[in-house]
Amino acid sequence: MVTATRIQAPEVTETRLLINGEWCDADSGKTFACINPATGDTIAQIAEGDAADVDRAVKSARKAFETGPWSKMSARDRGNLLLKLADLIGEHAEELAALETLDNGKPITEALNADIPMVQAAYRYYGGWADKIYGDTIPVDRAMGNFFCYTKREPVGVCGQIIPWNFPLLMMAWKWGPALACGNTVILKPAEQTPLGALRVGALAMEAGFPPGVINIVNGFGETAGDALVKHPDVDKIAFTGEYKTAQIIMANAAPTLKRLTFELGGKSPNVVFADADLDQAAQGAMAGIFFNQGEVCCAGSRLFVEQSIHDEFVDRFKTLAEQRRLGDPFDPQTEQGAQVSEEQFDKVMKYIDIGKNEDKATCVTGGERFGDKGFFVKPTIFTGVNNQMRIARDEIFGPVVSVLPFSDFDSLVSDANDTQYGLASAVWTKDITKAHAFADAVKAGTVWVNCYNTFDIAAPFGGYKFSGHGRECGRNVLDHYTETKTVWINLGER
Ligand code: NAI
Ligand code: MG
């Protein structure tokens, strides 16, 4: 943990678009306001890219990919650029953490101790991969002749990357790291709610020495800039993180140009507490599972299944922890929960709290209201008496709101846990390893945590079943999504 000396909100040094190695205004001259969610105040006006700027960025990325210095650079040198960027991120950790806090509303302590170290680790890890991505030699049938057959791994090309606002710099690192390690060129479209961090990392990447056109950043809105990237005929691939409804639009819009697509989408992840669990540990896990990052986490444990025999006792413990959480100024090092990212998300969360109380008729045992009188803060909220048919148990709320569902037998637990359109993550708390493995086998989810929650490592694959996505990020798995495999046959002839 980095110590809790107070870090100030940083100066915003860049607000423009990054295209072909140069900072520029949007063609239209338009800008949009970047809002501080802790106060509702405007931080800066940000260049608002649209189709014209995306087109310029795509042209520069295409040129860099086909004929620029990048196209001739050795894989090891590409890796070294990523390692250099990782070093620069380490040197600017406090500034970057403060930008994330200012822009997103997350606590500075978490930005500094969770987000930025994970960002740095991602660039390091993929920097290490760059010169270790290669093909195979294939033992083809001799009866056909004397052939030497081998595969090569080549970059896909120009990649559009559209990211959300909950972990802005980490989502960027998960996209840039593998794409650049594989030799692609990229156009990043950050979320309109959180444009600041990407611009600073873009500047650091230029300082690290990425050639012009290799990395481009076009801030702007999804329906304009994002849409143009998805439809652009010269973009080879779109990697997207966000809502499944947006992914459906992207899929349809990408169909005419048959782009490669990878998606990391939402969840309604089951977090299961058996009566034989270490209940202190499980209560902490339930809390971190849903309230970390203001509940703005795709893998949040938003459906908490608790075995009937310990239900009341467990809810008491969990409620006590929820009520102890320190909400407030995200720049206060003591703060554990900051602001929701935007007024729109705040309204969405408050709408679901209202649905829980008045439509689903669940019991709100704590929270259920805003915190303070400015900014977009929501108290940690626990609903009991929830069943899987209720809207608060079905829809992704993406805020600090959890539904507690009792269960009494294993088979109905598994069927309820899987009765969701999503399949991103899950967790189980028990001392019985047989039960833990049985649940891990039965649950349809891309990640299963046993006696832990939200443990992440850039080396461990992450992604979803069903409506939670296509493909995996992190680890070596993602490299398959940023490369094409070329099979080469050489007729050696007979000697
Ligand atoms: P979104 O999916 O609309 O936005 C994510 C990114 O996609 C942003 O960069 C946005 O500008 C872009 N985008 C939006 N429409 C687009 C389009 N038609 N074409 C191309 N790009 C487009 O998510 P939003 O509206 O910010 O949040 C809505 C809900 O989505 C949240 O309440 C939450 O439930 C979920 N969500 C899930 C995330 C995850 O990590 N899986 C992250 C953010 C939101
Ligand atoms: Mg949207």
Side-chain angles (χ1 to χ4, degrees):
M1 285 276 281
V2 178
T3 49
T5 47
R6 197 172 168 98
I7 295 174
Q8 302 296 328
E11 203 186 317
V12 174
T13 52
E14 191 52 75
T15 59
R16 293 170 293 175
L17 313 174
L18 177 57
I19 297 176
N20 203 27
E22 280 165 23
W23 296 99
C24 56
D25 293 322
D27 252 14
S28 66
K30 279 203 222 164
T31 61
F32 65 100
C34 173
I35 308 290
N36 176 349
T39 61
D41 299 338
T42 297
I43 302 165
Q45 289 292 327
I46 306 295
E48 182 189 327
D50 62 22
D53 308 288
V54 165
D55 188 55
R56 279 193 293 137
V58 172
K59 287 197 171 89
S60 92
R62 175 58 61 191
K63 187 159 163 262
F65 182 76
E66 301 294 346
T67 55
W70 183 250
S71 65
K72 296 166 198 81
M73 191 181 286
S74 71
R76 187 155 306 162
D77 290 339
R78 286 202 309 265
N80 285 335
L81 286 176
L82 283 164
L83 295 172
K84 174 82 179 137
L85 177 57
D87 288 345
L88 288 170
I89 283 168
E91 286 166 29
H92 293 83
E94 284 201 1
E95 181 196 356
L96 293 169
L99 275 172
E100 290 289 74
T101 290
L102 181 67
D103 213 5
N104 167 276
K106 64 176 68 202
I108 186 70
T109 307
E110 281 176 9
L112 195 57
N113 291 297
D115 294 67
I116 303 304
M118 287 200 285
V119 168
Q120 193 183 18
Y123 289 114
R124 282 238 169 90
Y125 176 80
Y126 287 108
W129 261 114
D131 60 0
K132 300 168 194 70
I133 302 163
Y134 44 75
D136 298 307
T137 55
I138 318 288
V140 291
D141 192 352
R142 187 70 175 77
M144 297 188 299
N146 186 17
F147 290 101
F148 174 50
C149 181
Y150 66 94
T151 60
K152 292 180 70 183
R153 302 281 295 281
E154 297 186 347
V156 168
V158 175
C159 299
Q161 305 181 312
I162 301 175
I163 58 170
W165 39 260
N166 50 345
F167 296 92
L169 287 180
L170 186 62
M171 295 300 97
M172 177 182 183
W174 282 15
K175 301 277 183 286
W176 274 22
L180 296 169
C182 294
N184 299 280
T185 58
V186 299
I187 299 121
L188 182 79
K189 210 298 280 172
E192 53 271 32
Q193 296 83 352
T194 53
L196 298 179
L199 295 173
R200 190 69 189 105
V201 170
L204 294 177
M206 295 307 295
E207 192 181 327
F210 283 93
V214 173
I215 48 156
N216 301 273
I217 301 173
V218 180
N219 274 310
F221 292 91
E223 293 72 14
T224 49
D227 183 78
L229 205 46
V230 171
K231 291 178 179 162
H232 201 293
D234 209 23
V235 171
D236 298 295
K237 173 195 162 76
I238 294 286
F240 167 78
T241 300
E243 192 180 11
Y244 80 83
K245 289 177 188 155
T246 312
Q248 290 171 325
I249 296 170
I250 289 175
M251 231 172 165
N253 286 340
T257 49
L258 221 69
K259 287 187 178 58
R260 280 117 189 85
L261 297 173
T262 44
F263 294 143
E264 201 267 274
L265 312 174
K268 197 76 193 176
S269 298
N271 187 8
V272 177
V273 183
F274 282 99
D276 67 0
D278 175 333
L279 295 189
D280 282 331
Q281 200 191 24
Q284 289 287 350
M287 186 177 71
I290 184 65
F291 299 134
F292 170 62
N293 208 52
Q294 297 69 245
E296 294 172 341
V297 182
C298 48
C299 53
S302 50
R303 288 185 302 148
L304 181 65
F305 288 90
V306 179
E307 194 160 3
Q308 186 73 62
S309 60
I310 53 152
H311 177 274
D312 294 356
E313 183 199 341
F314 189 78
V315 168
D316 274 351
R317 284 179 197 242
F318 182 29
K319 174 173 181 271
T320 304
L321 290 177
E323 288 173 353
Q324 283 166 357
R325 269 178 91 70
R326 277 194 292 259
L327 273 70
D329 176 8
F331 278 97
D332 181 340
Q334 303 301 320
T335 293
E336 294 168 327
Q337 187 171 313
Q340 308 309 125
V341 73
S342 66
E343 186 165 16
E344 190 186 348
Q345 285 298 312
F346 172 84
D347 288 345
K348 178 182 171 188
V349 175
M350 293 310 291
K351 183 193 84 179
Y352 273 103
I353 289 175
D354 185 59
I355 289 171
K357 288 176 178 170
N358 298 313
E359 196 177 300
D360 291 335
K361 308 251 185 261
T363 307
C364 181
V365 298
T366 188
E369 56 188 18
R370 81 180 296 170
F371 168 86
D373 53 11
K374 68 167 178 145
F376 312 128
F377 296 84
V378 180
K379 287 188 185 167
T381 299
I382 303 175
F383 279 104
T384 57
V386 181
N387 68 54
N388 230 7
Q389 308 321 314
M390 293 180 181
R391 279 186 71 193
I392 54 168
R394 300 203 80 77
D395 297 356
E396 180 177 57
I397 300 175
F398 226 65
V401 181
V402 63
S403 294
V404 184
L405 301 91
F407 72 92
S408 38
D409 79 277
F410 189 87
D411 291 342
S412 61
L413 163 73
V414 165
S415 112
D416 279 352
N418 285 334
D419 178 19
T420 165
Q421 64 190 340
Y422 295 111
L424 191 58
S426 61
V428 56
W429 302 82
T430 174
K431 288 184 187 138
D432 177 344
I433 59 161
T434 307
K435 212 153 47 178
H437 277 281
F439 183 80
D441 283 349
V443 71
K444 290 187 168 56
T447 294
V448 186
W449 285 298
V450 177
N451 295 328
C452 55
Y453 209 100
N454 279 340
T455 49
F456 275 93
D457 190 286
I458 190 64
F462 183 78
Y465 287 40
K466 303 192 275 184
F467 275 46
S468 292
H470 284 189
R472 293 292 177 270
E473 294 197 289
C474 307
R476 71 177 139 78
N477 302 58
V478 69
L479 302 171
D480 290 343
H481 302 303
Y482 282 105
T483 49
E484 298 281 5
T485 297
K486 179 178 277 176
T487 306
V488 184
W489 290 78
I490 317 253
N491 186 349
L492 297 176
E494 299 302 335
R495 202 151 39 100

